[in-house]
């Protein structure tokens, strides 16, 4: 589906992506993790649909998002290594 994100930085080290087309909010938190290192955590929240469509969304969307976020974090680690 199409997403239209706006990105804010409410505090240093925290980026928040808010989708104008849904209730999805993705929060990136970056904290120091030693000399020249950082820990990046991604948290996604949204209110899913109801009914049978919502059942499938709640069942499969988290797994899909985890795969996407794992790939993004892996590429980030490669890019900064």
């Amino acid at each position: 589906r199409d997403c239209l994100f706006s990105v804010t930085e409410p505090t240093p080290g925290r980026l928040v992506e808010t989708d104008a087309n849904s209730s999805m909010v993705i929060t990136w938190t970056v904290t120091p993790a030693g000399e020249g290192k950082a820990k990046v955590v991604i948290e996604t929240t949204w209110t899913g649909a109801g009914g049978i469509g919502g059942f499938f969304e709640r069942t499969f969307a988290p797994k899909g998002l985890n795969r996407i976020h794992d790939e993004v974090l892996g590429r980030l680690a490669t890019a900064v290594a």
Side-chain angles (χ1 to χ4, degrees), residues 7-8 10 16 18-19 21 23-24 32 35 41 47 49 57 67 78 81:
V7 180
T8 60
V16 178
T18 305
D19 183 12
N21 294 330
S23 63
M24 186 181 331
E35 185 65 34
V41 176
T47 303
E57 187 176 79
R67 280 193 304 272
T78 301

Side-chain angles (χ1 to χ4, degrees), residues 6-78:
S6 62
V7 180
T8 60
E9 186 180 16
T11 58
R14 177 172 244 168
L15 295 176
V16 178
E17 299 176 321
T18 305
D19 183 12
N21 294 330
S22 74
S23 63
M24 186 181 331
V25 177
I26 302 171
T27 303
W28 298 70
T29 305
V30 181
T31 55
E35 185 65 34
K37 296 182 180 182
K39 177 181 177 182
V40 179
V41 176
I42 305 172
E43 177 183 294
T44 302
T45 60
W46 84 94
T47 303
I52 191 71
F55 168 78
F56 286 104
E57 187 176 79
R58 288 186 301 277
T59 301
F60 297 109
K63 294 174 185 172
L65 283 172
N66 282 338
R67 280 193 304 272
I68 291 167
H69 290 167
D70 285 346
E71 184 175 330
V72 168
L73 291 172
R75 289 181 182 195
L76 179 61
T78 301

